[in-house]
């Protein structure tokens, strides 16, 4: 660019683009709602059909079938269904691992509609949870609900992130904390702005976020994730509420 335009001043436009993409129109939000609707159908079908003996990648195939059958143009992210030790990682890849009775399985599914890419995430268990695992899942859900309750226009993003971290500390889970409570979402599932303790921007109406709550332990991890749009008095969910702890019996 400098060689071809020697007289031009070249200035980074990152902040301009983030500002333009952060605040969505109602039409953009409608596209995201449709993506969430389709993602919910895929999530329900995976929960209905998962069994001990299937592989992680087989269940991703089930989710892919459902999103395309119901109008998605593509996956909104590389969908993942992984189990046991892989769930310790915030992001991992589905593998040919066979899912067994008693396993924790993490679902994070996404359907792209008109270029918009929301996702829904939740842990499920193939059988009864141990008390220790249930405690982690229930804490993650409480932290997730804390975030939902504290999102509204005019709030400083770093204040939400600091409060979220304090919630982990107050409940004895500081060592299980990995990242902040939300990230922007839209044309990609994870887009700016992020919400961390250093985030010095105010939440504004029609900003869209994934409320993304991850808790890691030495042997497994869990994520609760859903989408929301910032409004004046709070936030509006873009999908049905999540929070059912699925203990599947076979």
């Amino acid at each position: 660019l400098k060689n071809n335009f020697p007289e031009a001043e070249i200035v980074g436009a990152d902040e301009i683009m983030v500002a333009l993409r952060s605040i969505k129109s109602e039409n953009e939000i409608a596209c995201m709602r449709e993506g969430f609707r389709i993602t919910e159908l895929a999530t329900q079908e995976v929960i209905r059909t998962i069994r001990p003996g299937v592989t992680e990648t087989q269940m991703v195939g089930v989710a892919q079938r459902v999103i395309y059958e119901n109008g998605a143009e593509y996956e909104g992210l590389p969908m993942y269904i992984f189990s046991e030790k892989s769930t310790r990682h915030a992001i991992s890849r589905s593998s040919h691992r066979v899912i067994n009775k008693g396993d924790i399985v993490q679902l994070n599914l996404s359907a792209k509609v008109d270029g918009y890419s929301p996702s829904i995430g939740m842990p499920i268990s193939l059988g009864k949870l141990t008390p220790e695992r249930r405690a982690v899942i229930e804490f993650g859900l409480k932290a997730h609900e804390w975030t939902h309750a504290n999102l509204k226009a005019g709030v400083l993003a770093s204040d939400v992130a600091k409060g979220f971290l304090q919630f982990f500390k107050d409940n004895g889970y500081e060592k299980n904390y990995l990242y902040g409570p939300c990230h922007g979402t839209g044309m990609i599932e994870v887009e700016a702005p992020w919400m961390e303790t250093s985030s010095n921007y105010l939440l504004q109406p029609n900003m869209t976020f994934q409320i993304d709550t991850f808790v890691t332990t030495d042997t497994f991890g869990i994520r609760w994730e859903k989408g929301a749009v910032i409004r004046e008095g709070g936030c509006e969910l873009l999908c049905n509420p999540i929070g059912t702890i699925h203990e599947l019996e076979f």
Side-chain angles (χ1 to χ4, degrees):
L1 284 173
K2 288 181 178 179
N3 288 338
N4 284 282
F5 301 96
E7 304 303 318
E9 180 185 5
I10 298 174
V11 179
D14 300 52
E15 291 184 5
I16 295 171
M17 295 307 300
V18 168
L20 289 171
R21 292 179 64 172
S22 294
I23 299 174
K24 308 297 193 293
S25 71
E26 291 299 329
N27 287 337
E28 289 176 294
I29 291 168
C31 293
M32 296 177 70
R33 282 198 186 94
E34 177 64 3
F36 277 114
R37 183 191 71 82
I38 297 171
T39 303
E40 286 177 335
L41 294 175
T43 302
Q44 292 162 8
E45 183 66 4
V46 168
I47 292 171
R48 188 185 73 82
T49 59
I50 195 169
R51 294 287 186 276
V54 301
T55 67
E56 296 170 354
T57 51
Q58 280 179 296
M59 298 316 300
V60 171
V62 170
Q64 289 176 328
R65 171 180 60 78
V66 174
I67 68 166
Y68 291 124
E69 284 178 344
N70 286 277
E73 65 196 40
Y74 204 66
E75 299 171 89
L77 52 73
M79 292 197 288
Y80 54 85
I81 295 171
F82 48 75
S83 53
E84 284 301 294
K85 66 179 182 179
S86 291
T87 62
R88 293 176 300 166
H89 307 291
I91 299 293
S92 188
R93 293 180 179 179
S94 299
S95 73
H96 298 294
R97 180 185 186 274
V98 173
I99 298 171
N100 300 303
K101 188 173 181 179
D103 284 356
I104 287 280
V105 181
Q106 180 66 42
L107 312 182
N108 260 85
L109 308 180
S110 177
K112 180 175 286 190
V113 171
D114 289 332
Y116 292 85
S117 303
S119 74
I120 295 173
M122 65 184 67
I124 64 174
S125 177
L126 270 64
K128 286 289 184 183
L129 289 161
T130 64
E132 294 78 14
R133 288 186 164 195
R134 174 172 282 275
V136 172
I137 292 172
E138 289 180 344
F139 166 74
L141 183 56
K142 288 177 183 176
H144 188 78
E145 292 169 342
W146 181 94
T147 303
H148 179 186
N150 282 276
L151 297 179
K152 64 180 179 180
V155 171
L156 189 64
S158 60
D159 286 346
V160 180
K162 290 173 183 176
F164 180 73
L165 175 56
Q166 191 62 48
F167 189 86
F168 273 69
K169 292 178 178 178
D170 292 345
N171 286 275
Y173 282 89
E174 183 179 4
K175 69 181 180 65
N176 308 102
Y177 174 89
L178 186 61
Y179 56 75
C182 297
H183 57 77
T185 192
M187 296 192 77
I188 57 175
E189 193 270 346
V190 181
E191 69 178 29
W194 285 262
M195 199 177 293
E196 300 289 350
T197 55
S198 59
S199 302
N200 62 350
Y201 62 90
L202 294 174
L203 302 187
Q204 299 180 58
N206 283 31
M207 279 184 159
T208 51
F209 290 96
Q210 294 285 145
I211 304 175
D212 178 355
T213 311
F214 183 72
V215 185
T216 185
T217 76
D218 292 338
T219 56
F220 75 102
I222 65 99
R223 172 188 279 111
W224 296 99
E225 184 167 10
K226 65 190 175 196
V229 57
I230 303 298
R231 302 299 193 189
E232 289 291 351
C235 72
E236 175 190 348
L237 294 184
L238 295 174
C239 58
N240 288 316
I242 60 174
T244 299
I245 298 175
H246 294 278
E247 296 175 287
L248 306 180
E249 295 291 344
F250 303 96

